[in-house]
Each structure stands twice: as C-alpha cells, then as structure tokens.
Amino acid sequence: MRIVIGEDSALFREGLSRLLTENGHDVAGTAETADSLVDVVRAVDPDLTIIDVRMPPTMTDDGARAAVTLRAERPDRPILMLSQHIETRHVVGLVGTGGFGYLLKDRVLRVGDFLDAMRRVVDGGSALDPAIVAALVTPTRADDPLAALSAREREVLALVAEGRSNGAIAAQLVLAERTVESHMRSIFQKLRIDDAPDTHRRVLAVLTQLANEHRKS
C-alpha cells in the first residue's frame, strides 16, 4: 500500500519508513509538520496516513487536528494515529468511525501486530491500543452508562473495541464463546444500542457510543 507518514522525529520517521519498505509498502511521502502533512496527503492521496498526535508547530495536538481536517475532507480516508501519550481530546470523534486506528508508539516494535493493525484500518476496520480503549471504557461519572457495566463486561467491551471477534475474546479470557455472546447482549442492552451480527458494524456501534459519552463528560 502507498503510505504517507507525518512525524517530526527524524529517527522515528526513518525507522518507520524502513520497516514499511522492508515489508513491501511504498512510503509515498513524509512530513515533519502538521500543515505540510495536510498538503502532502492532499497531493499524494495515499492508501493510509500515519500521523503522530504531537507535531509542530506547537507540539501539542497538531497532528490530531490535522487528522480531523483530513477526515472532514474525505470521511473514508484511512488514518492511523501514533502517540507516546494517551490523548483523546480531538480524536475521540474519529474513534467511532471505520478506517481509523490509534496506537501508542511502542506498539510499532511489535511488528506483526502493527502491520496487522495497518491492514485492518485500510480495510475499513479499527485498531485501538488497549491503553486507549481502557481510557475510553472507564466510567467518568456516576451517571455514565458505562458505570452500569460489570467489570467483566468492560473487559469484554475493551477487547471488542480493539477489533476482536467473539472467538478471540473467548480464547483470551478463557470463556465459552456463548458466555461472550451473553456478555455482548448485556452490553448492548445497557448501552442502548442495537445488536448487530456483523463484527465490523458491532465494533463501530460500540466505539460510536463510547465517543458520544466522552464528548458529554
């Protein structure tokens, strides 16, 4: 796939470019600032854009805001955010959409997992770091609908939000798949969202609910 990288650290940018190239991908462009990233993506129209949350000029959340701009221009544009810290202020609205991922940078060191995450995002799925998911599924106040979930249900929901199937969740938690299905029915009921047999639509429904709740908090 053709990829554009937005990353101000030359060392990390070059290392990521080499990793991608060695695995058969084409790094079609790079950018060191958020503004130049937007220009490069518009010119190249890549299959995937990888963006550091913190970029110049302010080194705060410029990369995240660039992602929002790029998505506003083309809602189906696949974007994978990277960060050293958990920041959800600007990207929480993107979490509930297809073709979006948000990983902590150390996840890149797990090359197989990182490449799998890239593929899921390009295919329209989601790829969220467990730490990001944990921040989203933790109730922020007593009347937060997430507070109605049991500890096990939040654990299941976190794995769903990472893009895992019922079978994969059952294997990880050492549960019967029917038990996971039962937890999912309870989760959907408590969060007041329609159950959906399609895994992709299910993930998006859950993530949309989480994003909506965190906008209110």
Side-chain angles (χ1 to χ4, degrees):
M1 64 184 77
R2 297 171 70 247
I3 300 171
V4 165
I5 300 172
E7 168 62 57
D8 65 287
S9 167
L11 182 61
F12 188 85
R13 185 175 63 250
E14 293 305 315
L16 180 57
S17 295
R18 181 173 179 178
L19 183 154
L20 295 172
T21 301
E22 289 178 349
N23 281 276
H25 301 295
D26 174 23
V27 178
T30 63
E32 300 179 21
T33 70
D35 292 340
S36 61
L37 170 66
V38 171
D39 291 337
V40 171
V41 172
R42 286 170 176 166
V44 173
D45 192 23
D47 300 312
L48 176 67
T49 304
I50 300 177
I51 308 175
D52 186 4
V53 170
R54 295 184 175 183
M55 295 183 69
T58 70
M59 292 302 294
T60 55
D61 53 11
D62 300 80
R65 287 188 282 112
V68 172
T69 296
L70 291 169
R71 265 303 183 82
E73 294 178 353
R74 204 188 96 187
D76 65 342
R77 174 172 279 137
I79 292 177
L80 177 58
M81 303 293 304
L82 297 178
S83 180
Q84 289 182 323
H85 311 283
I86 300 174
E87 300 178 23
T88 60
R89 179 183 174 191
H90 292 285
V91 300
V92 69
L94 301 177
V95 167
T97 64
F100 180 76
Y102 187 179
L103 303 176
L104 295 183
K105 283 188 173 181
D106 60 4
R107 186 70 50 173
V108 177
L109 299 177
R110 304 176 188 180
V111 177
D113 289 346
F114 179 67
L115 295 176
D116 286 343
M118 285 174 42
R119 281 189 286 269
R120 287 203 305 275
V121 170
V122 171
D123 289 341
S126 63
L128 298 181
D129 195 283
I132 305 296
V133 175
L136 290 172
V137 302
T138 301
T140 57
R141 60 187 191 279
D143 63 343
D144 188 332
L146 294 172
L149 303 184
S150 68
R152 176 63 87 181
E153 288 169 346
R154 285 197 292 274
E155 193 173 13
V156 169
L157 179 58
L159 293 173
V160 170
E162 289 175 33
R164 312 234 183 159
S165 66
N166 283 353
I169 294 171
Q172 178 154 338
L173 299 181
V174 193
L175 298 173
E177 191 165 343
R178 287 184 180 180
T179 302
V180 175
E181 292 171 357
S182 177
H183 284 312
M184 286 307 308
R185 285 193 296 271
S186 177
I187 289 168
F188 280 113
Q189 182 179 16
K190 290 178 179 179
L191 295 183
R192 297 186 179 89
I193 53 180
D194 294 332
D195 197 350
D198 180 82
T199 299
H200 175 61
R201 288 192 298 127
R202 178 184 71 169
V203 171
L204 297 186
V206 172
L207 296 179
T208 298
Q209 179 67 22
L210 294 177
N212 288 339
E213 290 306 320
H214 278 260
R215 286 194 199 98
K216 298 173 186 176
S217 62

